[in-house]
């Protein structure tokens, strides 16, 4: 079964405040050395997907920089590979709207790929879905579309905007909606046959629609047979600062960490060549995730340090997320904060946020 | 093919006999160093950082690891359209075949490779040393002196001198004698195994040397080629290198060089953005340090999970340190799994080793001056 991938960021809102002022949500750094988009891309890579289109409308500079030719995901191929497709459409007769614009104007991508099935994903739901298994399930069910859902026992605020799925006894979808009591969250992942996908896209455009998932699948005007695939592994939704903070710190639980970074489905990211992290005399680090290239002389507790962070003597980092190349100078204290890249906290400054509403400091600030 | 001013030949075929135990199935240049690197990363990265984009890597002893490690060289930015990195093991020729008989022979057998680029100068490197060096400065010096050969040298103590190839020079650094591992050293300038030769000249010497029977020549730069050039009155100069340089050819020296990195400001700065040391990235997630863990004066790589206590040690990628374990003054190679309540003191633990719960290694000794090596032969 040959798969092709679409990572569609068109409907993703920039909800991470300072972190998404200048970058798409998909490009937000996560878990010490990754960007959110790495998880969707790596899942596709694990399934051997070699044609992947990225539909993105704005704030894609940092995505372009991060993804490059797609080498880290083995997508720098002679045939196919990674196609980053920002909007550039000049067809005066084009009547498409919304995310259908991307699909319509990049028909060539679909036509040229030898993939028979389209796996369609966003970047806000982090998961480890095995797309090969999903594809087999889809075929075995004889479905037109298979949507992936995760059953959550306990709701969190970030679950609120998620679509819910009603499932009948045979495992088919009987309804998709926003009703809050339903525990089956749609994790923004579906698979369908390429030709059917294109056909549905044309139908939607002809009917003045603007949102493929809503108009072709949720409303299902053509009576598609929609199967539901239950995913049981690691899942997180990153659609707010609070959910970003919470899900980042939850990786300090070894169980979660092992689920997300299971060695059989490695997560790949852009390679940097930093030396291993240095713990100096007096360093006190506990319950933390630390990437390479850091230099720690102070205290770090319950935190995530990205690459190249410096924590000087007497500085304290508590329950915080410190992104690439930040410097916490001597005697400075941060607690419950998120520092974007290149933030410098000068000597003896104290910055304390509320654990429910962490403080966010924008990129390249000096405090 | 496009002419190049200088290309490099990197000698990477040695076993590193004194590292026995770590070099059972890999050559010395492939030995791990510094939490994430292999020794060969240093000369390769120096080449890239010096703008040398064509490097032949001469392999012989246990080459599998090196060959697959180097690949097309993309990690060192050597996957080039013109030039790049080439792995050159011994090969069969029309007139028969043999192993590389010495360092000079390894180059002689690859004249065709070098001739393709028609270089003015040939940089000969060894894959055995840890150092950061701008080979361009060496080339500038070589050209400035109008030398036929320039040998990079480093100051060592008189006690160390008898284990190196020593260089005796006049005041202007012109070399008059090359003394291989002398009993009574006359100078403190040791050869670093880094040479630049005028290629057309070296080529003549190599062609002459290759046909000599083994009894007459060891086909070695230090023993044969350089002394012959001196005897013929060619102009050879020493280039005094200043900086960190270590031959990590023994277990104690490998251990010590790793420990050097743990200083607050180590002489060998591995985080200089202008002189990165490139390496194959193992693509591991960020390291996890548990609530009860203690880590001081350490270097720890990604993919490690630390539940115990680690002090003055280097942990390579993917190392696990179980609860209650105490590791001190040790070098733990990639993917070593250390169980619970283990104690390790002053040891090097080889890649992939699994240390069962409760094991004590070197921590119950009165005299801990020896650095222990724990590898596949160890009894657990």
């Amino acid at each position: 079964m040959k798969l092709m991938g679409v990572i569609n960021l068109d409907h993703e809102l920039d909800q991470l405040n300072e972190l998404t002022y200048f970058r798409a949500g998909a490009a937000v750094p996560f878990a010490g050395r990754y960007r959110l988009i790495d998880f969707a891309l790596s899942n596709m890579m694990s399934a051997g997907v070699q044609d992947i289109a990225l539909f993105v409308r704005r704030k894609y500079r940092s995505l372009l920089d991060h993804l490059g030719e797609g080498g880290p995901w083995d997508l720098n191929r002679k045939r196919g590979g990674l196609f980053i497709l920002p909007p550039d459409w000049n067809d005066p007769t084009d009547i498409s709207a919304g995310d259908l614009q991307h699909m319509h104007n990049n028909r060539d991508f679909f036509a040229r790929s030898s993939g028979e099935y389209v796996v369609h994903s966003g970047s806000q739901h982090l998961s480890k879905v095995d797309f090969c298994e999903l594809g087999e399930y889809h075929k075995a069910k004889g479905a037109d579309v298979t949507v992936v859902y995760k059953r959550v026992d306990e709701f969190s605020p970030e679950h609120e905007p998620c679509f819910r799925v009603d499932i009948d006894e045979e495992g088919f979808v009987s309804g998709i909606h926003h009703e809050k009591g339903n525990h089956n969250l749609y994790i923004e992942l579906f698979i369908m046959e390429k030709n059917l996908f294109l056909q549905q896209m044309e139908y939607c455009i002809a009917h003045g629609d603007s949102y493929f998932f809503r108009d072709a699948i949720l409303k299902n005007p053509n009576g598609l047979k929609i199967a539901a695939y239950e995913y049981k592994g690691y899942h997180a939704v990153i659609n707010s600062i609070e959910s970003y903070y919470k899900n980042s710190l939850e990786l300090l639980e070894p169980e979660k960490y092992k689920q997300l970074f299971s060695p059989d489905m490695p997560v790949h990211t852009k390679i940097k060549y930093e030396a291993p992290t240095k713990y100096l005399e007096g360093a006190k680090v506990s319950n933390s995730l630390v990437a390479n290239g850091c230099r720690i002389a102070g205290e770090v507790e319950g935190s995530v340090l990205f690459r190249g962070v410096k924590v000087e003597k007497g500085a304290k980092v508590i329950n915080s997320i410190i992104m690439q190349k930040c410097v916490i100078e001597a005697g400075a204290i941060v607690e419950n904060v998120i520092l974007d890249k290149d933030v410098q906290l000068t000597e003896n400054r104290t910055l304390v946020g509320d654990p429910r509403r962490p403080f966010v400091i924008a990129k390249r600030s000096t405090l | 093919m496009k002419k190049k001013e200088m290309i490099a030949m990197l000698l990477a075929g040695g076993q590193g006999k004194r590292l026995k135990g770590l070099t059972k199935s890999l050559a010395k240049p492939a030995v791990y160093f510094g939490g994430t690197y292999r020794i060969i990363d240093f000369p390769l990265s120096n080449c890239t950082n010096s703008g040398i984009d064509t490097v032949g890597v001469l392999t012989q002893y246990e080459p599998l690891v090196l060959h697959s490690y180097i690949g097309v060289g993309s990690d060192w930015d050597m996957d080039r359209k013109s030039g790049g990195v080439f792995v050159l093991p011994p090969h069969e020729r029309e007139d028969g075949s043999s192993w590389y008989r010495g360092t000079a022979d390894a180059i002689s057998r690859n004249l065709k490779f070098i001739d393709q680029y028609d270089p003015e100068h040939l940089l000969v490197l060894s894959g055995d040393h840890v150092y950061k060096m701008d080979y361009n400065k060496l080339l500038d010096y070589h050209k400035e002196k109008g030398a036929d050969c320039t040998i990079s040298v480093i100051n060592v103590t008189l006690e160390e001198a008898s284990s190196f190839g020593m260089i005796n020079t006049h005041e202007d650094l012109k070399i008059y004698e090359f003394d291989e591992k002398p009993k009574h050293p006359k100078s403190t300038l040791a050869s670093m195994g880094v040479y630049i030769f005028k290629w057309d000249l070296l080529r003549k010497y190599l062609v002459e040397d290759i046909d000599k029977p083994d009894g007459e020549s060891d086909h070695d730069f230090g023993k044969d080629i350089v002394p012959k050039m001196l005897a013929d009155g060619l102009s050879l100069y020493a280039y005094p290198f200043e900086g960190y340089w270590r031959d990590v050819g023994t277990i104690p020296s490998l251990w010590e060089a790793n420990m050097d990195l743990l200083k607050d400001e180590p002489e060998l700065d591995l985080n200089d953005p202008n002189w990165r040391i490139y390496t194959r990235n193992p693509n591991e997630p960020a390291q996890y340090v548990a609530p009860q863990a203690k880590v001081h004066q350490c270097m720890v790589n990604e993919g490690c999970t630390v539940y115990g206590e680690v002090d003055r040690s280097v942990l390579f990628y993917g190392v696990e340190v179980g609860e209650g374990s105490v590791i001190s003054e040790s070098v733990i190679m990639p993917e070593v799994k250390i169980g619970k309540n283990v104690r390790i003191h002053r040891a090097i633990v080889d890649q992939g080793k699994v240390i069962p719960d409760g094991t004590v290694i070197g921590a119950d000794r009165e005299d801990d001056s020896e650095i222990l090596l724990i590898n596949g032969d160890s009894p657990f």
Side-chain angles (χ1 to χ4, degrees):
Chain A
M1 168 177 248
K2 195 129 195 261
L3 304 175
M4 61 191 296
V6 169
I7 299 178
N8 184 352
L9 307 179
D10 201 70
H11 288 282
E12 294 188 355
L13 304 171
D14 305 326
Q15 292 158 314
L16 268 55
N17 304 351
E18 286 85 350
L19 304 183
T20 47
Y21 282 171
F22 302 105
R23 54 164 94 86
V28 168
F30 189 72
R33 61 191 293 270
Y34 303 93
R35 305 270 179 158
L36 290 175
I37 195 163
D38 293 342
F39 297 89
L41 272 179
S42 298
N43 289 348
M44 291 191 179
M45 180 185 173
S46 292
V49 183
Q50 292 213 333
D51 297 305
I52 298 177
L54 182 66
F55 293 156
V56 51
R57 199 177 286 268
R58 28 201 291 280
K59 297 190 188 175
Y60 46 76
R61 192 205 59 81
S62 75
L63 269 181
L64 290 177
D65 175 44
H66 178 67
L67 299 171
E69 272 191 279
W73 304 270
D74 248 354
L75 292 170
N76 50 344
R77 302 264 62 89
K78 295 271 179 264
R79 286 176 65 99
L82 178 66
F83 297 85
I84 304 171
L85 301 166
D88 175 37
W89 29 70
N90 307 298
D91 174 5
T93 65
D94 180 13
I95 55 161
S96 62
D99 67 355
L100 297 162
Q101 278 185 307
H102 294 280
M103 297 166 186
H104 173 77
N105 287 287
N106 292 304
R107 272 198 76 122
D108 283 357
F109 163 73
F110 295 97
R112 282 187 195 139
S113 169
S114 56
E116 303 158 290
Y117 291 86
V118 177
V119 176
H120 184 284
S121 169
S123 78
Q124 293 184 326
H125 289 255
L126 303 188
S127 74
K128 303 286 280 185
V129 173
D130 179 339
F131 296 148
C132 294
E133 201 184 292
L134 171 65
E136 293 307 323
Y137 180 88
H138 173 74
K139 244 160 103 178
K141 273 288 188 192
D144 295 320
V145 188
T146 299
V147 298
V148 182
Y149 73 95
K150 164 91 184 175
R151 191 171 169 81
V152 294
D153 299 327
E154 239 175 276
F155 287 126
S156 304
E158 69 263 27
H159 294 147
E160 207 156 285
C162 299
F163 284 115
R164 321 293 162 117
V165 184
D166 291 332
I167 304 152
D168 69 17
E169 280 158 10
E170 276 143 47
F172 286 95
V173 172
S174 53
I176 303 176
H177 50 73
H178 273 302
E179 283 173 26
K180 296 202 169 62
N182 185 326
H183 289 261
N184 300 330
L185 300 184
Y186 169 57
I187 66 168
E188 292 185 11
L189 201 53
F190 69 78
I191 182 171
M192 68 195 291
E193 207 231 326
K194 177 168 79 179
N195 292 328
L196 182 64
F197 176 82
L198 294 176
Q199 205 185 320
Q200 291 300 310
M201 169 193 87
E202 294 301 350
Y203 177 90
C204 287
I205 292 169
H207 288 77
D209 294 332
S210 61
Y211 183 0
F212 185 87
F213 178 76
R214 183 192 64 201
D215 300 323
I217 298 176
L218 184 149
K219 292 184 183 163
N220 198 5
N222 296 317
L224 300 176
K225 213 168 143 194
I226 306 171
Y229 172 86
E230 184 177 8
Y231 164 69
K232 292 185 170 153
Y234 176 91
H235 174 247
V237 197
I238 312 289
N239 55 10
S240 61
I241 284 292
E242 291 75 19
S243 60
Y244 173 81
Y245 180 72
K246 187 190 88 173
N247 284 299
S248 293
L249 295 190
E250 271 182 9
L251 290 176
L252 299 176
E253 296 165 22
E255 273 319 300
K256 289 248 163 154
Y257 175 92
K258 277 183 199 150
Q259 278 186 319
L260 184 58
F261 297 112
S262 56
D264 53 329
M265 271 178 88
V267 187
H268 291 263
T269 189
K270 184 178 176 183
I271 302 296
K272 302 271 166 129
Y273 292 90
E274 252 128 13
T277 278
K278 274 278 285 277
Y279 294 76
L280 304 186
E281 196 171 0
K284 241 175 113 183
V285 179
S286 73
N287 193 31
S288 294
L289 272 185
V290 183
N292 271 355
C294 295
R295 201 183 146 84
I296 307 174
E299 276 179 48
V300 181
E301 191 194 315
S303 297
V304 178
L305 304 191
F306 283 73
R307 289 158 164 162
V309 168
K310 290 195 175 79
V311 181
E312 295 183 356
K313 245 192 165 63
K316 274 189 194 174
V317 176
I318 303 159
N319 300 338
S320 294
I321 293 162
I322 313 294
M323 292 192 193
Q324 298 92 302
K325 302 215 156 75
C326 287
V327 182
I328 317 294
E329 290 187 3
I333 298 172
V334 288
E335 187 168 354
N336 306 325
V337 302
I338 299 172
L339 305 186
D340 201 340
K341 288 169 71 172
D342 295 311
V343 170
Q344 189 171 0
L345 201 73
T346 53
E347 271 183 42
N348 299 321
R349 287 290 307 241
T350 300
L351 205 60
V352 181
D354 184 303
R356 282 153 304 168
R357 284 195 73 85
F359 228 145
V360 186
I361 306 297
K363 197 170 157 177
R364 252 178 251 123
S365 322
T366 301
L367 296 175
Chain B
M1 210 155 306
K2 206 177 148 208
K3 183 178 170 66
K4 304 254 179 194
E5 186 186 20
M6 181 165 80
I7 69 169
M9 294 296 267
L10 174 50
L11 298 158
Q15 178 185 0
K17 284 199 184 79
R18 291 170 304 157
L19 278 177
K20 211 166 45 182
L22 285 175
T23 53
K24 263 200 159 150
S25 57
L26 44 81
K28 180 178 168 192
V31 167
Y32 284 107
F33 174 80
T36 193
Y37 308 97
R38 293 183 189 264
I39 298 170
I40 197 169
D41 289 333
F42 290 86
L44 279 179
S45 301
N46 287 340
C47 282
T48 287
N49 289 324
S50 305
I52 297 164
D53 62 8
T54 306
V55 181
V57 180
L58 300 145
T59 61
Q60 176 154 291
Y61 174 78
E62 285 293 346
L64 174 66
V65 173
L66 267 182
H67 287 192
S68 63
Y69 183 67
I70 293 168
V72 296
S74 50
D75 282 301
W76 304 270
D77 213 10
M78 293 252 181
D79 49 338
R80 303 300 183 89
K81 295 273 181 269
S82 157
V85 65
F86 297 84
V87 176
L88 305 167
H91 53 274
E92 200 174 352
R93 285 151 301 143
E94 206 184 1
D95 58 353
S97 55
S98 71
W99 299 111
Y100 291 149
R101 294 170 295 173
T103 51
D105 192 46
I107 310 276
S108 311
R109 298 300 171 94
N110 288 288
L111 294 181
K112 277 186 218 154
F113 169 76
I114 301 167
D115 286 342
Q116 292 178 103
Y117 300 98
D118 186 22
E120 299 286 314
H121 307 280
L122 186 76
L123 174 64
V124 176
L125 301 171
S126 141
D128 294 348
H129 307 126
V130 169
Y131 65 113
K132 300 199 306 189
M133 179 174 180
D134 187 342
Y135 301 132
N136 273 324
K137 288 192 183 149
L138 176 62
L139 178 62
D140 289 346
Y141 178 92
H142 171 75
K143 288 198 284 194
E144 196 184 295
K145 293 278 184 193
D148 297 315
C149 164
T150 304
I151 303 175
S152 188
V153 296
I154 188 148
N155 242 319
V156 295
T157 61
L158 270 176
E159 295 83 72
E160 295 170 310
S162 45
S163 54
F164 290 105
M166 300 306 292
I167 305 280
N168 301 326
T169 69
H170 299 296
E171 248 173 49
D172 63 351
L173 292 170
K174 189 163 183 199
I175 301 170
Y176 68 86
E177 194 180 24
F178 189 94
D179 224 355
E180 184 68 30
K181 296 184 182 145
K183 283 210 179 89
H184 305 288
K186 287 181 223 153
S187 85
T188 55
L189 298 179
S191 164
M192 294 163 58
V194 175
Y195 309 81
I196 292 183
F197 294 94
K198 275 190 184 149
W199 172 236
D200 54 352
L201 209 67
L202 175 65
R203 198 181 190 287
K204 284 191 200 120
Y205 278 83
L206 292 175
V207 170
E208 201 181 295
D209 176 82
I210 196 170
D211 289 329
K212 285 187 185 160
D214 287 357
E216 243 175 76
S217 171
D218 286 326
H219 312 287
D220 185 90
F221 278 104
K223 287 184 202 146
D224 306 290
I225 302 293
V226 170
K228 180 88 183 22
M229 285 181 165
L230 282 170
D232 290 353
L234 297 191
S235 109
L236 282 78
Y237 277 87
Y239 169 81
F241 171 77
E242 276 170 29
Y244 188 89
W245 177 89
R246 289 292 183 278
D247 178 356
V248 287
T250 61
I251 295 294
S253 66
L254 179 67
W255 176 85
E256 206 172 303
N258 274 287
M259 292 300 125
D260 284 346
L261 297 171
L262 302 179
K263 294 174 189 152
D264 279 9
E265 304 295 340
E267 260 188 277
L268 184 70
D269 177 8
L270 296 172
N271 258 331
D272 178 359
N274 298 317
W275 205 272
R276 280 255 178 262
I277 303 304
Y278 298 100
T279 183
R280 172 76 57 94
N281 190 297
N283 190 47
E284 295 272 348
Q287 56 197 262
Y288 173 68
V289 182
Q292 70 275 28
K294 283 186 186 144
V295 187
H296 352 87
Q297 280 187 289
C298 284
M299 221 170 156
V300 181
N301 200 352
E302 287 169 339
C304 289
T305 50
V306 182
Y307 288 85
E309 202 177 317
V310 192
D311 195 22
R312 284 159 292 144
S313 296
V314 175
L315 306 191
F316 282 72
Y317 60 85
V319 169
E320 286 173 24
V321 180
E323 235 171 292
S325 291
V326 180
I327 316 298
S328 55
E329 297 180 34
S330 294
V331 178
I332 314 293
M333 301 282 196
E335 272 150 3
V336 169
K337 309 296 174 205
I338 297 170
K340 291 178 187 168
N341 304 313
V342 170
R343 284 163 65 212
I344 301 177
H345 179 60
R346 288 169 84 89
I348 294 178
V349 183
D350 199 7
Q351 184 176 17
K353 193 78 192 152
V354 177
I355 312 287
D357 293 355
T359 310
V360 177
I361 296 165
D364 50 0
R365 299 181 276 181
E366 255 174 43
D367 174 13
D368 64 1
S369 56
E370 192 198 345
I371 305 305
L372 303 174
L373 174 66
I374 306 303
N375 62 9
D377 295 338
S378 307
F380 40 78

